Amino acid sequence: MGTDLGPDVLAQCRALFDTEQTAFQAAVPVTQGDIAYGPHERHRLDIYAPLDATGPVPVLVLVHGGGFLKGDKGSSGGGADAWPNANVGRMAAQAGFVGVVINYRLAPDHMWPAGSEDVVAVVAWLKANVAQHGGDPDRIVLAGTSAGAVHVAGYLKLAGDADIRGAVLLSGLYGYTQLDERDLLYYGDAALYPERMPMEAVATTRLPLLVACAQYDPPRFQAEFLGLMQDRLARHGAMPRAVIMTGHNHYTMPMHLGTADRRLADEICAFVRDISH
């Protein structure tokens, strides 16, 4: 498939995992769906809780991708189109965590910093409410893919380090490369791009990070991964935990989680456990 993005590649990627993910969907149902965490119709989250948890467990939150313009947490009602992104919540529950998959407001109607503000609202909601679902409000880990990784990094810019334990950043754009024209729909005037990007926040945070990139990610995403790794090494004297996923592309990074390919799932789950003691 190469490194290109687009609807045809996306459809091919979905077809690779449909059978496995549909079975996973049936095996791990949503615990509670479409919970409102704010006033907007996109302010909704789904919770996937482990069946046999004893005591409060870590909470893993997924912020979906979609180029700032689209994307969905997956339908909590099931159905053939329901599994993308929801599979990450199921993976978390299967690992013994509370999985949370969110929707957030989309561009162009909702521009910077709306996505990151919505992540702030999710964390505040979880701090107040996740204990009722078996989660530990003091052990929240944010994970984002593509635009979702940008919003997680933007959360660090807006809210700092206090309320979460760590962040998982899958194929994000942090500010190490040139602005793409479609990003203007979220960031607005190109002159504002440098100050609006979350680069400084994600480079300086003391929170534990797990940063991932795909072998077949588009070159810009690979350059962002390397830029962040170099910057972290220069500033902290060490790279963060990191993975380059061989055999995967931009779309399959989140899509394959919960399947027989356990490499990235194992890295994410080990990261959550290691920082949640």
Side-chain angles (χ1 to χ4, degrees):
M1 298 181 196
T3 62
D4 289 343
L5 303 180
D8 292 346
V9 180
L10 181 59
Q12 291 178 64
C13 293
R14 281 202 51 160
L16 291 173
F17 306 112
D18 254 332
T19 300
E20 239 181 316
Q21 291 290 14
T22 301
F24 192 31
Q25 176 180 291
V28 185
V30 66
T31 305
Q32 190 170 347
D34 286 327
I35 302 170
Y37 68 85
H40 192 269
E41 63 183 1
R42 291 278 304 178
H43 288 152
R44 298 292 184 272
L45 58 83
D46 296 341
I47 290 179
Y48 299 83
L51 295 175
D52 54 357
T54 55
V57 297
V59 181
L60 180 65
V61 183
L62 178 75
V63 186
H64 67 71
F68 305 116
L69 305 175
K70 57 190 177 187
D72 192 78
K73 61 184 173 54
S75 165
S76 58
D81 297 326
W83 66 258
N85 298 313
N87 61 302
V88 183
R90 295 187 170 95
M91 178 206 78
Q94 188 181 56
F97 313 138
V98 170
V100 179
V101 189
I102 76 162
N103 280 349
Y104 53 85
R105 291 169 296 165
L106 300 172
D109 293 339
H110 301 278
M111 296 174 69
W112 182 93
S116 299
E117 288 174 339
D118 289 353
V119 179
V120 173
V122 166
V123 172
W125 188 93
L126 291 171
K127 294 291 280 186
N129 297 284
V130 79
Q132 300 169 29
H133 301 275
D136 186 343
D138 293 324
R139 292 190 289 168
I140 297 170
V141 179
L142 296 178
T145 182
S146 193
V150 179
H151 294 325
V152 171
Y155 169 91
L156 299 176
K157 182 180 176 72
L158 292 180
D161 300 355
D163 289 332
I164 64 171
R165 281 293 180 91
V168 179
L169 302 171
L170 309 178
S171 300
L173 301 171
Y174 315 107
Y176 293 97
T177 58
Q178 291 291 312
L179 178 72
D180 186 279
E181 190 173 338
R182 70 176 271 152
D183 299 340
L184 295 173
L185 294 170
Y186 182 63
Y187 285 109
D189 186 348
L192 301 171
Y193 178 67
E195 68 187 62
R196 291 186 167 185
M197 289 302 289
M199 181 171 74
E200 189 68 17
V202 78
T204 57
T205 182
R206 295 288 173 179
L207 281 172
L209 300 177
L210 172 61
V211 187
C213 176
Q215 180 183 359
Y216 299 110
D217 252 323
R220 184 186 179 198
F221 291 88
Q222 298 197 13
E224 288 276 347
F225 172 83
L226 292 174
L228 178 56
M229 299 298 281
Q230 293 266 29
D231 201 359
R232 295 284 306 190
L233 178 61
R235 294 179 192 236
H236 301 270
M239 295 187 295
R241 288 169 78 148
V243 186
I244 298 173
M245 284 301 296
T246 54
H248 281 283
N249 67 18
H250 192 72
Y251 296 128
T252 67
M253 284 278 273
M255 273 189 176
H256 83 281
L257 292 168
T259 70
D261 182 352
R262 292 283 317 173
R263 294 172 296 159
L264 182 57
D266 287 346
E267 289 278 359
I268 292 171
C269 293
F271 174 73
V272 173
R273 290 188 185 102
D274 288 349
I275 66 174
S276 297
H277 292 313

